Coordinates of all heavy atoms in Angstrom, one line a residue:
G275 N -74.8 53.6 -27.9 CA -74.4 54.0 -26.6 C -73.3 55.0 -26.6 O -72.9 55.5 -27.7
D276 N -72.7 55.2 -25.5 CA -71.7 56.2 -25.4 C -70.4 55.9 -26.2 O -69.8 56.7 -26.7 CB -71.3 56.4 -23.9 CG -72.4 57.0 -23.1 OD1 -73.2 57.7 -23.6 OD2 -72.4 56.7 -21.8
G277 N -70.1 54.6 -26.3 CA -68.9 54.1 -27.0 C -69.1 54.2 -28.5 O -68.1 54.3 -29.3
G278 N -70.3 54.2 -29.0 CA -70.6 54.2 -30.5 C -69.9 53.0 -31.2 O -69.9 51.9 -30.7
G279 N -69.4 53.3 -32.3 CA -68.7 52.2 -33.1 C -68.9 52.4 -34.6 O -69.5 53.4 -35.0
T280 N -68.5 51.4 -35.3 CA -68.6 51.4 -36.8 C -69.7 50.4 -37.2 O -69.5 49.2 -36.8 CB -67.3 51.1 -37.4 OG1 -66.3 52.1 -37.1 CG2 -67.4 51.1 -39.0
W281 N -70.7 50.9 -37.9 CA -71.8 50.0 -38.4 C -71.9 50.2 -39.9 O -71.5 51.2 -40.4 CB -73.1 50.4 -37.7 CG -73.1 50.1 -36.2 CD1 -72.6 51.0 -35.2 CD2 -73.6 49.0 -35.6 NE1 -72.8 50.4 -34.0 CE2 -73.4 49.2 -34.2 CE3 -74.2 47.8 -36.0 CZ2 -73.8 48.2 -33.2 CZ3 -74.6 46.9 -35.1 CH2 -74.4 47.1 -33.7
Y282 N -72.4 49.2 -40.5 CA -72.6 49.3 -42.0 C -74.0 48.8 -42.4 O -74.6 48.0 -41.7 CB -71.5 48.5 -42.7 CG -71.6 47.0 -42.5 CD1 -72.4 46.3 -43.4 CD2 -70.9 46.4 -41.6 CE1 -72.5 44.9 -43.2 CE2 -70.9 45.0 -41.4 CZ -71.7 44.3 -42.2 OH -71.8 42.9 -42.0
I283 N -74.4 49.3 -43.5 CA -75.6 48.8 -44.2 C -75.2 48.5 -45.6 O -74.7 49.4 -46.3 CB -76.8 49.9 -44.2 CG1 -77.2 50.3 -42.8 CG2 -78.0 49.3 -45.0 CD1 -78.1 51.4 -42.8
D284 N -75.3 47.3 -46.0 CA -74.9 46.8 -47.3 C -76.1 46.6 -48.2 O -76.9 45.7 -48.0 CB -74.1 45.5 -47.2 CG -73.7 45.0 -48.6 OD1 -73.9 45.7 -49.6 OD2 -73.2 43.9 -48.7
L285 N -76.3 47.5 -49.1 CA -77.5 47.4 -50.0 C -77.1 47.0 -51.4 O -77.8 47.1 -52.4 CB -78.3 48.8 -50.0 CG -78.8 49.2 -48.7 CD1 -79.4 50.6 -48.8 CD2 -79.8 48.2 -48.1
K286 N -75.8 46.6 -51.6 CA -75.3 46.2 -52.9 C -75.6 44.8 -53.2 O -75.7 44.4 -54.3 CB -73.7 46.4 -52.9 CG -73.2 47.8 -53.0 CD -71.7 47.8 -53.0 CE -71.1 49.2 -53.2 NZ -69.7 49.1 -53.3
T287 N -75.6 44.0 -52.2 CA -75.8 42.5 -52.4 C -77.2 42.1 -52.3 O -78.0 42.8 -51.6 CB -74.9 41.7 -51.4 OG1 -75.3 42.1 -50.0 CG2 -73.5 42.0 -51.5
K288 N -77.6 41.1 -52.9 CA -79.0 40.6 -52.9 C -79.4 40.3 -51.5 O -78.7 39.7 -50.7 CB -79.1 39.3 -53.7 CG -80.5 38.8 -53.9 CD -80.6 37.6 -54.8 CE -82.0 37.2 -54.9 NZ -82.2 36.1 -55.8
G289 N -80.5 40.9 -51.1 CA -81.1 40.7 -49.8 C -80.5 41.8 -48.8 O -81.1 42.0 -47.7
G290 N -79.3 42.4 -49.1 CA -78.7 43.3 -48.2 C -78.3 42.7 -46.9 O -78.6 41.6 -46.6
S291 N -77.6 43.5 -46.1 CA -77.2 43.1 -44.8 C -76.8 44.3 -44.0 O -76.6 45.4 -44.5 CB -76.0 42.1 -44.9 OG -74.8 42.8 -45.4
A292 N -76.6 44.1 -42.7 CA -76.2 45.2 -41.8 C -75.4 44.5 -40.7 O -75.6 43.4 -40.4 CB -77.4 46.0 -41.2
G293 N -74.5 45.3 -40.1 CA -73.7 44.7 -39.0 C -72.7 45.7 -38.4 O -72.7 46.9 -38.8
F294 N -72.0 45.2 -37.5 CA -71.0 46.0 -36.7 C -69.6 45.7 -37.2 O -69.3 44.6 -37.5 CB -71.1 45.6 -35.2 CG -70.2 46.4 -34.3 CD1 -70.5 47.7 -34.0 CD2 -69.0 45.8 -33.9 CE1 -69.6 48.4 -33.2 CE2 -68.2 46.5 -33.0 CZ -68.4 47.8 -32.7
G295 N -68.8 46.8 -37.4 CA -67.5 46.6 -37.8 C -67.3 47.0 -39.2 O -68.1 47.7 -39.8
K296 N -66.2 46.5 -39.8 CA -65.8 46.9 -41.2 C -66.8 46.2 -42.1 O -67.1 45.0 -42.0 CB -64.4 46.4 -41.5 CG -63.9 46.8 -42.8 CD -62.4 46.3 -43.0 CE -62.0 46.6 -44.4 NZ -60.6 46.2 -44.7
P297 N -67.3 47.0 -43.1 CA -68.2 46.4 -44.1 C -67.5 45.3 -45.0 O -66.3 45.4 -45.2 CB -68.7 47.6 -45.0 CG -67.7 48.6 -44.8 CD -67.0 48.4 -43.4
P298 N -68.3 44.3 -45.5 CA -67.7 43.3 -46.3 C -67.3 43.7 -47.7 O -66.6 43.1 -48.4 CB -68.8 42.2 -46.3 CG -70.1 43.0 -46.1 CD -69.7 44.1 -45.2
V299 N -67.8 44.9 -48.1 CA -67.5 45.4 -49.5 C -67.1 46.9 -49.3 O -67.5 47.5 -48.3 CB -68.7 45.3 -50.5 CG1 -69.0 43.8 -50.8 CG2 -69.9 46.0 -49.9
T300 N -66.4 47.5 -50.3 CA -66.1 48.9 -50.2 C -67.3 49.7 -50.2 O -68.2 49.6 -51.0 CB -65.2 49.2 -51.4 OG1 -64.0 48.4 -51.4 CG2 -64.7 50.7 -51.3
A301 N -67.3 50.7 -49.3 CA -68.5 51.6 -49.2 C -68.5 52.7 -50.3 O -67.5 53.2 -50.6 CB -68.5 52.3 -47.8
D302 N -69.7 53.0 -50.8 CA -69.9 54.1 -51.7 C -70.1 55.4 -51.0 O -69.8 56.5 -51.5 CB -71.1 53.8 -52.6 CG -70.8 52.7 -53.6 OD1 -69.7 52.6 -54.1 OD2 -71.7 51.9 -53.9
V303 N -70.7 55.3 -49.7 CA -71.0 56.4 -48.9 C -70.5 56.1 -47.5 O -70.9 55.0 -47.0 CB -72.5 56.8 -48.9 CG1 -72.7 58.0 -48.0 CG2 -72.9 57.1 -50.3
V304 N -69.8 57.0 -46.8 CA -69.5 56.9 -45.4 C -70.0 58.1 -44.7 O -69.8 59.2 -45.0 CB -68.0 56.8 -45.2 CG1 -67.6 56.7 -43.7 CG2 -67.4 55.6 -46.0
M305 N -70.8 57.8 -43.6 CA -71.4 58.8 -42.8 C -70.9 58.7 -41.4 O -70.8 57.6 -40.9 CB -72.9 58.7 -42.8 CG -73.6 58.8 -44.1 SD -75.4 58.6 -44.0 CE -75.8 58.8 -45.7
S306 N -70.5 59.8 -40.8 CA -69.9 59.9 -39.5 C -70.7 60.9 -38.6 O -71.0 62.0 -39.1 CB -68.5 60.3 -39.5 OG -67.7 59.4 -40.4
M307 N -71.0 60.5 -37.4 CA -71.6 61.4 -36.4 C -71.5 60.9 -35.0 O -71.1 59.7 -34.8 CB -73.1 61.6 -36.8 CG -74.0 60.4 -36.6 SD -75.7 60.6 -37.3 CE -76.1 62.3 -37.0
S308 N -71.7 61.7 -34.0 CA -71.6 61.3 -32.6 C -72.8 60.3 -32.4 O -73.8 60.3 -33.0 CB -71.7 62.4 -31.7 OG -73.0 62.9 -31.6
S309 N -72.6 59.4 -31.4 CA -73.6 58.5 -31.0 C -74.9 59.2 -30.5 O -76.0 58.7 -30.8 CB -73.1 57.4 -30.0 OG -72.7 58.0 -28.9
A310 N -74.7 60.3 -29.8 CA -75.9 61.0 -29.3 C -76.7 61.6 -30.4 O -77.9 61.5 -30.4 CB -75.4 62.2 -28.4
D311 N -76.0 62.2 -31.5 CA -76.7 62.7 -32.6 C -77.4 61.6 -33.4 O -78.4 61.8 -34.0 CB -75.8 63.6 -33.5 CG -75.5 64.9 -32.8 OD1 -76.3 65.4 -32.0 OD2 -74.4 65.4 -33.1
F312 N -76.7 60.4 -33.5 CA -77.3 59.3 -34.2 C -78.6 58.9 -33.6 O -79.6 58.7 -34.3 CB -76.3 58.1 -34.2 CG -76.7 56.9 -34.8 CD1 -76.6 56.7 -36.2 CD2 -77.3 55.9 -34.1 CE1 -77.0 55.5 -36.8 CE2 -77.8 54.7 -34.7 CZ -77.6 54.5 -36.0
V313 N -78.6 58.8 -32.3 CA -79.9 58.5 -31.6 C -81.0 59.5 -31.9 O -82.1 59.2 -32.2 CB -79.6 58.3 -30.1 CG1 -81.0 58.1 -29.3 CG2 -78.8 57.1 -29.8
K314 N -80.6 60.8 -31.8 CA -81.6 61.9 -32.1 C -82.1 61.7 -33.5 O -83.3 61.9 -33.8 CB -80.9 63.2 -31.9 CG -80.7 63.6 -30.5 CD -80.0 65.0 -30.4 CE -79.5 65.3 -29.0 NZ -78.7 66.5 -29.0
M315 N -81.2 61.4 -34.5 CA -81.6 61.3 -35.9 C -82.6 60.1 -36.1 O -83.6 60.3 -36.7 CB -80.4 61.2 -36.8 CG -80.8 61.4 -38.3 SD -79.3 61.6 -39.3 CE -78.6 60.0 -39.3
F316 N -82.3 59.0 -35.5 CA -83.1 57.8 -35.7 C -84.4 57.8 -34.8 O -85.2 56.9 -35.0 CB -82.3 56.5 -35.5 CG -81.5 56.2 -36.8 CD1 -80.3 56.7 -37.0 CD2 -82.1 55.4 -37.8 CE1 -79.6 56.4 -38.2 CE2 -81.4 55.2 -39.0 CZ -80.2 55.7 -39.2
T317 N -84.5 58.7 -33.9 CA -85.7 58.8 -33.2 C -86.6 60.0 -33.6 O -87.6 60.3 -33.0 CB -85.5 59.0 -31.6 OG1 -84.6 60.1 -31.4 CG2 -84.8 57.7 -31.1
G318 N -86.1 60.6 -34.7 CA -86.9 61.7 -35.4 C -86.7 63.1 -34.7 O -87.4 64.0 -35.1
K319 N -85.8 63.2 -33.8 CA -85.5 64.5 -33.1 C -84.5 65.4 -33.9 O -84.4 66.6 -33.5 CB -85.1 64.3 -31.7 CG -86.1 63.6 -30.9 CD -85.7 63.3 -29.5 CE -86.7 62.5 -28.7 NZ -86.3 62.0 -27.5
L320 N -83.8 64.8 -34.9 CA -82.9 65.6 -35.7 C -83.0 65.1 -37.1 O -82.8 64.0 -37.4 CB -81.4 65.3 -35.1 CG -80.3 65.9 -35.9 CD1 -80.3 67.4 -35.8 CD2 -78.9 65.4 -35.3
K321 N -83.3 66.1 -38.0 CA -83.5 65.8 -39.4 C -82.1 65.6 -40.0 O -81.2 66.3 -39.7 CB -84.2 66.9 -40.1 CG -85.6 67.2 -39.5 CD -86.6 66.9 -40.6 CE -88.0 67.3 -40.1 NZ -88.9 66.2 -40.1
P322 N -81.9 64.6 -40.9 CA -80.6 64.3 -41.5 C -80.1 65.5 -42.2 O -78.9 65.8 -42.1 CB -80.9 63.2 -42.5 CG -82.1 62.5 -41.9 CD -82.9 63.6 -41.3
T323 N -80.9 66.3 -43.0 CA -80.4 67.4 -43.7 C -79.9 68.5 -42.8 O -78.8 69.1 -43.0 CB -81.5 68.0 -44.6 OG1 -82.0 67.0 -45.5 CG2 -81.0 69.2 -45.4
L324 N -80.6 68.7 -41.7 CA -80.1 69.7 -40.7 C -78.9 69.2 -40.0 O -77.9 70.0 -39.8 CB -81.2 69.9 -39.6 CG -80.9 70.9 -38.5 CD1 -80.6 72.3 -39.1 CD2 -82.0 71.0 -37.5
A325 N -78.8 68.0 -39.7 CA -77.5 67.4 -39.1 C -76.3 67.6 -40.1 O -75.3 68.0 -39.6 CB -77.7 65.9 -38.8
F326 N -76.5 67.4 -41.4 CA -75.5 67.6 -42.3 C -75.1 69.1 -42.4 O -73.9 69.5 -42.4 CB -75.9 67.1 -43.7 CG -74.8 67.3 -44.8 CD1 -73.7 66.6 -44.8 CD2 -75.0 68.3 -45.7 CE1 -72.7 66.8 -45.8 CE2 -74.1 68.5 -46.7 CZ -72.9 67.8 -46.7
M327 N -76.1 70.0 -42.6 CA -75.9 71.4 -42.7 C -75.2 72.0 -41.5 O -74.4 73.0 -41.6 CB -77.2 72.1 -43.1 CG -77.8 71.7 -44.4 SD -76.7 71.9 -45.8 CE -77.0 73.6 -46.1
S328 N -75.4 71.5 -40.3 CA -74.9 72.0 -39.1 C -73.5 71.4 -38.7 O -72.9 71.7 -37.7 CB -75.9 71.9 -37.9 OG -76.1 70.5 -37.7
G329 N -73.1 70.4 -39.6 CA -71.8 69.8 -39.3 C -71.9 68.6 -38.3 O -70.8 68.0 -38.0
K330 N -73.0 68.2 -37.9 CA -73.2 67.1 -37.0 C -73.1 65.7 -37.7 O -72.8 64.7 -37.1 CB -74.5 67.2 -36.2 CG -74.6 68.3 -35.3 CD -75.9 68.4 -34.6 CE -75.8 69.6 -33.6 NZ -77.0 69.6 -32.8
L331 N -73.4 65.8 -39.0 CA -73.3 64.6 -39.9 C -72.3 64.9 -41.0 O -72.4 65.8 -41.7 CB -74.7 64.2 -40.5 CG -74.7 63.2 -41.5 CD1 -74.2 61.8 -41.0 CD2 -76.1 63.1 -42.1
R332 N -71.2 64.0 -41.1 CA -70.2 64.2 -42.1 C -70.4 63.1 -43.1 O -70.6 61.9 -42.7 CB -68.8 64.2 -41.5 CG -68.6 65.4 -40.6 CD -67.4 65.3 -39.8 NE -67.3 64.2 -38.9 CZ -68.0 64.0 -37.7 NH1 -68.8 65.0 -37.4 NH2 -67.8 63.0 -37.0
I333 N -70.4 63.4 -44.4 CA -70.6 62.5 -45.5 C -69.4 62.5 -46.4 O -69.0 63.6 -46.9 CB -71.9 62.8 -46.3 CG1 -73.1 62.7 -45.3 CG2 -72.1 61.8 -47.4 CD1 -74.4 63.2 -45.9
K334 N -68.9 61.3 -46.7 CA -67.8 61.1 -47.7 C -68.3 60.2 -48.8 O -68.9 59.2 -48.4 CB -66.5 60.6 -47.1 CG -65.9 61.5 -46.1 CD -64.6 60.9 -45.5 CE -64.0 61.8 -44.5 NZ -62.8 61.1 -43.9
G335 N -68.0 60.5 -50.0 CA -68.4 59.5 -51.1 C -69.5 60.1 -51.9 O -69.7 61.3 -52.1
N336 N -70.3 59.2 -52.5 CA -71.4 59.5 -53.4 C -72.6 60.2 -52.8 O -73.4 59.6 -52.1 CB -71.9 58.2 -54.1 CG -72.8 58.4 -55.2 OD1 -73.6 59.3 -55.2 ND2 -72.7 57.5 -56.2
M337 N -72.6 61.5 -52.9 CA -73.7 62.3 -52.3 C -75.1 62.0 -52.8 O -76.0 62.0 -52.0 CB -73.4 63.8 -52.5 CG -74.2 64.7 -51.7 SD -73.9 64.5 -49.9 CE -72.5 65.5 -49.6
A338 N -75.2 61.6 -54.0 CA -76.5 61.2 -54.6 C -77.1 60.0 -53.8 O -78.3 59.9 -53.5 CB -76.4 60.9 -56.1
L339 N -76.2 59.0 -53.5 CA -76.6 57.9 -52.8 C -77.0 58.2 -51.3 O -77.9 57.7 -50.7 CB -75.6 56.8 -52.8 CG -75.4 56.1 -54.1 CD1 -74.2 55.1 -54.0 CD2 -76.6 55.4 -54.5
A340 N -76.2 59.2 -50.8 CA -76.5 59.6 -49.4 C -77.9 60.3 -49.3 O -78.6 60.0 -48.4 CB -75.4 60.6 -48.9
I341 N -78.3 61.0 -50.3 CA -79.6 61.6 -50.4 C -80.7 60.6 -50.4 O -81.7 60.7 -49.8 CB -79.7 62.6 -51.5 CG1 -78.8 63.8 -51.2 CG2 -81.1 63.1 -51.8 CD1 -78.6 64.8 -52.4
K342 N -80.4 59.5 -51.2 CA -81.4 58.4 -51.3 C -81.5 57.7 -49.9 O -82.6 57.3 -49.5 CB -81.0 57.4 -52.3 CG -81.2 57.8 -53.7 CD -80.8 56.7 -54.7 CE -81.0 57.1 -56.1 NZ -80.6 56.0 -57.0
L343 N -80.4 57.6 -49.2 CA -80.5 57.0 -47.8 C -81.3 57.8 -46.9 O -81.9 57.2 -46.0 CB -79.1 56.8 -47.3 CG -78.3 55.7 -47.9 CD1 -76.8 55.7 -47.4 CD2 -78.9 54.3 -47.6
E344 N -81.4 59.1 -47.1 CA -82.2 59.9 -46.2 C -83.6 59.5 -46.2 O -84.3 59.5 -45.1 CB -82.1 61.4 -46.6 CG -82.9 62.3 -45.7 CD -82.9 63.8 -46.0 OE1 -82.3 64.1 -47.1 OE2 -83.4 64.6 -45.3
K345 N -84.2 59.0 -47.3 CA -85.5 58.6 -47.4 C -85.8 57.3 -46.5 O -86.8 57.1 -46.0 CB -85.9 58.3 -48.8 CG -85.9 59.5 -49.7 CD -86.2 59.2 -51.1 CE -86.2 60.5 -51.9 NZ -86.3 60.2 -53.3
M346 N -84.7 56.5 -46.3 CA -84.8 55.3 -45.5 C -84.9 55.7 -44.0 O -85.5 54.9 -43.2 CB -83.6 54.4 -45.7 CG -83.5 53.8 -47.1 SD -82.1 52.8 -47.3 CE -82.1 51.7 -45.9
L347 N -84.3 56.8 -43.7 CA -84.3 57.2 -42.3 C -85.7 57.7 -41.8 O -86.0 57.7 -40.7 CB -83.2 58.3 -42.0 CG -81.8 58.0 -42.5 CD1 -80.9 59.1 -42.2 CD2 -81.3 56.7 -41.7

């Protein structure tokens, strides 16, 4: 929604987890974007690579893992 927030996907632990707020473990990759662009990306209206190249998606951390996450989207 308009307020957005901090969400995490934990793929380090067995079974994985996802949730709202601070992740339970230190993140290897942190991605930041507006909530409007997030919705566009997850509905297929904005490609992750284009979002990154245009500055709509900011990535900090392990870029190789970020590229693997793109396949999940």
Side-chain angles (χ1 to χ4, degrees):
D276 293 334
T280 300
W281 294 84
Y282 67 87
I283 300 172
D284 177 7
L285 300 175
K286 289 181 174 183
T287 57
K288 186 176 181 177
S291 65
F294 181 76
K296 185 178 177 182
V299 295
T300 303
D302 291 322
V303 178
V304 176
M305 299 180 181
S306 304
M307 66 189 326
S308 73
S309 58
D311 289 332
F312 178 85
V313 170
K314 287 178 188 174
M315 191 167 72
F316 277 90
T317 57
K319 296 177 183 169
L320 177 63
K321 300 244 184 240
T323 302
L324 180 60
F326 177 74
M327 298 301 279
S328 64
K330 293 180 179 186
L331 171 62
R332 292 166 304 285
I333 300 174
K334 292 181 184 176
N336 187 326
M337 193 60 84
L339 289 176
I341 291 169
K342 286 183 179 182
L343 285 173
E344 180 180 7
K345 293 177 184 177
M346 291 178 55
L347 305 178

